Amino acid sequence: MTHPDEARPAPSPPRVRAAYGHWMQERVRWSDTDLIGHANNVAVSAYFETGRSHFMRSVVAIDAEPRSLLVLAQLTINFLGEMHWPDVIDIGTGCLSIGRRSCRTGQALFVGERCVGTAESVVVMIDEVTRKPVPLPSWLRQWLDQNRIAALG
């Protein structure tokens, strides 16, 4: 899947830990589970949101200097396995590709060494006043490039 703003297709998020440079942890809460006993789809989406927000916090925070305003334009989640209360979830996040006004992030959720989900998202930079898409500044492109997901194989 490609975004119209991108020059060429990028790989899907890898299912191996070594590909990701940015990590954070969450825990499956009792309230995240459904009648089947596994983490529900809304909770899984929230884990990815938390990882993506943590990854981009240094460039989107209200007090970041310089600051960029990035909004989610697309999200695709692949559910690969179950998570149960009280599993510890490791969330890996990185940049898959950089477009003119957007970038694609890739993420993976791991319980131990088992990859239980991946996500791809497109985030678009917008002007804070007009709310219209604007080109990514060079400093942000450099930061994204430094946080690319490692090519393995």
Side-chain angles (χ1 to χ4, degrees), residues 42-56:
V42 174
V44 172
S45 179
Y47 305 148
F48 284 122
E49 176 188 37
T50 300
R52 190 173 56 253
S53 298
H54 194 268
F55 172 68
M56 294 188 162

Side-chain angles (χ1 to χ4, degrees), residues 7-66:
R8 64 182 183 276
S12 296
R15 297 179 185 183
V16 292
R17 284 178 170 274
Y20 300 92
H22 182 272
W23 289 94
M24 68 162 303
Q25 277 191 344
E26 279 282 12
R27 183 176 291 278
V28 176
R29 295 170 293 271
W30 178 258
S31 61
D32 292 345
T33 61
D34 58 19
L35 286 173
I36 300 172
H38 61 220
N40 66 52
N41 60 339
V42 174
V44 172
S45 179
Y47 305 148
F48 284 122
E49 176 188 37
T50 300
R52 190 173 56 253
S53 298
H54 194 268
F55 172 68
M56 294 188 162
R57 182 173 67 180
S58 67
V59 297
V60 300
I62 196 78
D63 59 350
E65 194 56 48

Side-chain angles (χ1 to χ4, degrees), residues 92-110:
T93 305
C95 179
L96 283 169
S97 64
I98 305 167
R100 196 167 79 75
R101 296 177 291 193
S102 66
C103 69
R104 282 179 56 237
T105 62
Q107 297 179 276
L109 302 179
F110 291 88

